[in-house]
Structures are given as C-alpha cells and as structure tokens.
Amino acid sequence: MTTALAPELTVADRCDRCGAQAYIRARLVSGGELLFCAHHGREHLPALKDKALDIRDETDRLNEVPGSAPADER
C-alpha cells in the first residue's frame, strides 16, 4: 500500500485549537487529521505520537527569511 504525503501546509491551513497558521499536521490512525500551530503542536504532539500514522512538522519554516522584493516593488 502506498500512502501519499499530504501537501505542504499553506497559509490557509489553520490550527484546530486557536486558528493561527498551522505548521504541524498529524494524520491519525483513526482516519482524521489534526492541524496545529507551533505552540499547540509542542503542547499536544507528545500525546499524539502513538495515535498518529505520520506527523508533518514544518515549524522550521518559522525561521526562514523571505527573499527580497523586486526593485520595482519596494
């Protein structure tokens, strides 16, 4: 059986606890999925590790520096 990875999280993906931008997706054994911001992910992921099929953690994106805007847009 092949499992397709969920696409990268976008700004439209929101934390199920507080509504902030989600950076963590947990696909559950039961078939559902949970989305968390970095804060709530740190809080809830330890309890989810044995209930999740996979966990996608994109919190490293919080440290990315956006590229410069083109000169005509500054």
Side-chain angles (χ1 to χ4, degrees), residues 27-62:
R27 282 191 328 121
L28 305 176
V29 173
S30 63
E33 75 174 16
L34 295 170
L35 300 176
F36 292 110
C37 64
H39 166 80
H40 286 112
R42 284 189 295 273
E43 181 180 345
H44 296 289
L45 283 183
L48 286 172
K49 291 214 184 271
D50 61 337
K51 297 174 179 79
L53 287 174
D54 61 72
I55 297 172
R56 182 179 186 123
D57 183 344
E58 297 181 12
T59 55
D60 57 324
R61 291 178 36 217
L62 290 167

Side-chain angles (χ1 to χ4, degrees), residues 8-14 19-23 61:
E8 182 176 285
L9 293 164
T10 69
V11 70
D13 293 307
R14 309 314 284 182
Q21 183 173 350
Y23 289 93
R61 291 178 36 217

